Amino acid sequence: MNLNKDFSGTDLAQQTLETPLEEPARQYYFMTKCREIVKERSLEAGRELTANVTTFGCQMNAKDSEKLRGILREIGFSITDSEEADLVLYNTCTVRENANLKVYGHLGYLSNLKKKNPRMIIALCGCMMQEPDVVAKLQKSYRFVNLIFGTHNIFKFAELLYQVLEGQRIEEQMLLPKPPMIVDIWKDTDQVVEDLPADRTYSFKSGVNIMYGCNNFCTYCIVPYVRGRERSRRPEDIIREIEQLSQDGVIEVMLLGQNVNSYGKTLDEPVSFAHLLEMVEQVPGIRRIRFMTSHPKDLSDELIEVMKHSQKVCRHLHLPLQSGSSRILKRMNRRYTKEQYLDLAAKLRREIPDLSLTTDIIVGFPGETEEDFQETLDVVRQVRYDSAFTFIYSKRTGTPAAAMEDQVPEDIVKDRFQRLLALVQEISQEMSRRVEGQTLPVLVESLNDHDPSLVTGRLSNNLLVHFPGNEKLIGQMVDVHLTTCKGFYYLGEMA
């Protein structure tokens, strides 16, 4: 829903907020105010002002970045891939330490750009900003940053940006000292604010937030501390958004949540995730439904039945294992055992034979012994994942695991990681060959990065396929004969 038409050119755009507007109307008011300043600056510069949004992390962050880009376009910025822009916004991740280090590295580069362009606006948001130590470091050592906000008030971006722009304007007009860094971090929220502009990466597919936050508190994970408690969107709001996306040409949706299997538990009238999938399946024009991520402890028989009989839910399930050792799983607070996970995986393979199962695995969790690691390898051999994201344990300050004393030596962790990776790749290549020689529908996503005579798309099971075609096929579903399996992708020909 675009509320801008209700505010542009009306008296409301000239009013103060003596009577606070409800969200998201308040943000459209500030988009109007920002647009006035951006228009002035564009006229002075003789060109459109540019903005760059760089995303670190998960698909939830990618979805947030689409909203942030949409707001910037609404305000009057031209979106660019270059960080040599008038506004640079980093949407950060903090799941692993390397993610933080990347951001600091980028900021070092921006500091030199800002010396050449003092009006340049540098903003930071996302999960990393929810860590008090990070914000303190930025306030001390990165004073050139203009704006810092977190995960809970992404929707306030226009309002916060107006404070930055107005502060700069007052500074220039009155020769005042440089305006202070604006920091607006919320510890938590129960608000769900949608209906903001979005600049989608793809015209034919889109992520859809169905819930926010997480209640699981796995001992290694910082997400509940930076994303807050679980809160589900009302099903009618989700369906309305998907209907609008469908009318706009979207044929594939990805339902997003930290644990989609627990969707609906916080609603006044609880709705199961399986029932939500059935509702989404009824939306005309939607041809594929994906979702991310599922927690094994909450995956119900009802969901398996819906997936089994659905014509639209994709044949791909990401089911994070994290460890194959029941002892380590207990230390991780995962709330299932190795045996329970294996039973669930066997049921999924039995009920949905063509299902692609993928997973996450952490190597080197505190206290992990060689015996524990062998248990993980055993699960990989039994389940036979189509692919797996493998990670070396990363200590995150503020999580219970970071304070555990029995951290595993780095050389041992690296050795185990390489052994796990070799096994995962061997099995993945074998599993990928299952559909060789078949003709299956492929959603074409882009021109091939390496050969412009080819296009690239995905099967329902999430495997990539490259085949001869042109850009007119992008966004279409076409039948492709899978001629050659290359291990982790296919070469094919249109049927």
Side-chain angles (χ1 to χ4, degrees):
M1 180 171 66
N2 187 337
L3 300 181
N4 186 57
K5 61 180 181 293
D6 297 331
F7 299 114
S8 294
T10 70
D11 291 340
L12 182 58
Q14 317 304 323
Q15 294 174 11
T16 63
L17 295 181
E18 294 175 359
T19 303
L21 296 168
E22 293 185 2
E23 302 292 2
R26 180 183 177 90
Q27 297 314 310
Y28 279 94
Y29 167 85
F30 281 108
M31 287 179 222
T32 301
K33 302 300 288 182
C34 286
R35 188 161 57 244
E36 295 170 1
I37 301 175
V38 169
K39 185 176 180 180
E40 289 176 9
R41 289 193 175 185
S42 295
L43 289 172
E44 291 172 12
R47 59 173 177 81
E48 284 188 320
L49 297 191
T50 57
N52 168 272
V53 178
T54 299
T55 308
F56 301 85
C58 68
Q59 288 170 314
M60 295 285 284
N61 271 19
K63 177 64 177 177
D64 285 343
S65 289
E66 290 186 346
K67 297 175 187 176
L68 295 166
R69 289 198 308 268
I71 291 169
L72 288 166
R73 282 195 188 278
E74 189 79 14
I75 287 168
F77 283 93
S78 174
I79 305 300
T80 177
D81 291 333
S82 171
E83 292 182 2
E84 295 188 18
D86 298 291
L87 183 150
V88 175
L89 171 59
Y90 291 155
N91 187 3
T92 63
C93 171
T94 192
V95 171
R96 272 164 278 281
E97 185 179 10
N98 282 345
N100 289 24
L101 297 177
K102 281 183 181 179
V103 172
Y104 291 130
H106 279 259
L107 286 176
Y109 171 69
L110 292 189
S111 66
N112 293 321
L113 294 180
K114 184 146 187 174
K115 289 173 184 175
K116 300 175 186 176
N117 179 14
R119 264 190 172 183
M120 180 184 189
I121 295 172
I122 299 173
L124 299 168
C125 68
C127 295
M128 184 176 164
M129 299 306 109
Q130 294 293 144
E131 296 186 81
D133 291 348
V134 167
V135 174
K137 179 175 180 176
L138 292 168
Q139 289 176 309
K140 180 180 178 180
S141 303
Y142 297 86
R143 295 297 306 167
F144 56 86
V145 172
N146 301 92
L147 171 63
I148 297 173
F149 56 110
T151 59
H152 304 303
N153 57 345
I154 287 278
F155 69 90
K156 275 188 68 179
F157 178 45
E159 182 174 348
L160 297 171
L161 182 57
Y162 175 72
Q163 294 178 33
V164 174
L165 290 167
E166 186 65 12
Q168 287 184 337
R169 184 158 68 173
I170 292 172
E171 172 205 2
E172 292 170 0
Q173 290 176 349
M174 303 183 68
L175 301 177
L176 294 174
K178 182 175 136 182
M181 177 191 292
I182 294 173
V183 179
D184 192 351
I185 306 293
W186 295 7
K187 186 175 180 182
D188 206 345
T189 184
D190 58 1
Q191 278 188 282
V192 174
V193 179
E194 295 288 344
D195 291 331
L196 291 167
D199 178 32
R200 298 202 313 273
T201 303
Y202 299 95
S203 62
F204 52 88
K205 68 176 185 176
S206 178
V208 176
N209 292 322
I210 66 169
M211 60 190 300
Y212 299 89
C214 182
N215 289 352
N216 289 315
F217 289 93
C218 301
T219 57
Y220 55 81
C221 185
I222 201 167
V223 167
Y225 305 97
V226 298
R227 285 279 181 182
R229 303 296 79 75
E230 283 182 4
R231 51 202 189 279
S232 297
R233 292 179 66 193
R234 297 186 306 167
E236 57 266 35
D237 293 337
I238 296 169
I239 297 303
R240 186 177 72 249
E241 179 180 346
I242 294 174
E243 288 173 342
Q244 291 172 344
L245 288 169
S246 176
Q247 292 167 13
D248 198 32
V250 169
I251 62 174
E252 177 181 296
V253 291
M254 167 79 83
L255 308 183
L256 298 172
Q258 301 299 335
N259 176 17
V260 293
N261 293 340
S262 63
Y263 168 80
K265 293 180 179 179
T266 61
L267 296 171
D268 292 337
E269 297 180 12
V271 175
S272 71
F273 178 57
H275 184 48
L276 178 67
L277 281 179
E278 291 177 319
M279 296 169 67
V280 176
E281 189 162 21
Q282 300 305 310
V283 177
I286 297 300
R287 299 182 64 182
R288 279 186 175 177
I289 304 167
R290 299 187 185 275
F291 54 87
M292 185 76 70
T293 293
S294 290
H295 196 299
K297 73 178 178 63
D298 296 314
L299 201 152
S300 65
D301 289 343
E302 180 192 16
L303 177 57
I304 294 174
E305 281 299 303
V306 169
M307 293 183 67
K308 177 179 177 179
H309 297 291
S310 173
Q311 299 301 307
K312 294 184 179 181
V313 176
C314 287
R315 290 305 196 244
H316 171 228
L317 178 66
H318 191 70
L319 194 67
L321 168 67
Q322 307 304 3
S323 174
S325 163
S326 295
R327 186 181 74 85
I328 295 297
L329 287 170
K330 185 174 182 179
R331 297 195 86 191
M332 290 178 165
N333 193 35
R334 292 291 289 174
R335 285 175 278 179
Y336 55 83
T337 64
K338 172 186 178 181
E339 291 71 27
Q340 289 170 330
Y341 186 98
L342 286 172
D343 287 346
L344 178 59
K347 182 186 296 183
L348 286 162
R349 292 289 196 202
R350 182 175 63 252
E351 296 297 322
I352 315 173
D354 59 342
L355 183 70
S356 170
L357 265 179
T358 60
T359 197
D360 296 333
I361 300 173
I362 295 172
V363 178
F365 186 81
E368 181 189 74
T369 64
E370 179 62 24
E371 182 180 359
D372 294 319
F373 178 66
Q374 288 297 327
E375 296 278 4
T376 297
L377 296 181
D378 182 54
V379 173
V380 172
R381 292 188 186 99
Q382 290 195 55
V383 176
R384 298 183 62 77
Y385 295 106
D386 291 76
S387 68
F389 295 98
T390 54
F391 306 98
I392 288 176
Y393 168 71
S394 178
K395 187 189 294 188
R396 307 311 294 132
T397 301
T399 62
M404 294 179 182
E405 296 181 354
D406 44 358
Q407 304 289 322
V408 182
E410 183 178 351
D411 58 336
I412 294 177
V413 175
K414 288 183 176 179
D415 173 69
R416 289 175 184 167
F417 180 81
Q418 292 302 324
R419 288 151 60 196
L420 172 64
L421 189 62
L423 178 61
V424 164
Q425 290 179 343
E426 176 188 341
I427 293 173
S428 294
Q429 291 187 36
E430 293 173 4
M431 295 298 288
S432 297
R433 295 191 186 99
R434 286 182 298 166
V435 293
E436 190 169 29
Q438 295 184 30
T439 298
L440 296 172
V442 172
L443 176 57
V444 183
E445 297 187 348
S446 65
L447 291 175
N448 187 274
D449 290 336
H450 304 292
D451 184 347
S453 70
L454 302 177
V455 292
T456 296
R458 288 186 188 274
L459 297 169
S460 174
N461 68 9
N462 211 39
L463 270 177
L464 285 173
V465 182
H466 309 296
F467 62 97
N470 56 50
E471 61 185 7
K472 292 181 181 179
L473 292 175
I474 295 174
Q476 295 187 37
M477 196 90 76
V478 296
D479 288 335
V480 177
H481 182 66
L482 307 175
T483 56
T484 308
C485 179
K486 290 292 187 178
F488 303 105
Y489 65 91
Y490 270 93
L491 298 179
E493 298 174 349
M494 282 185 62

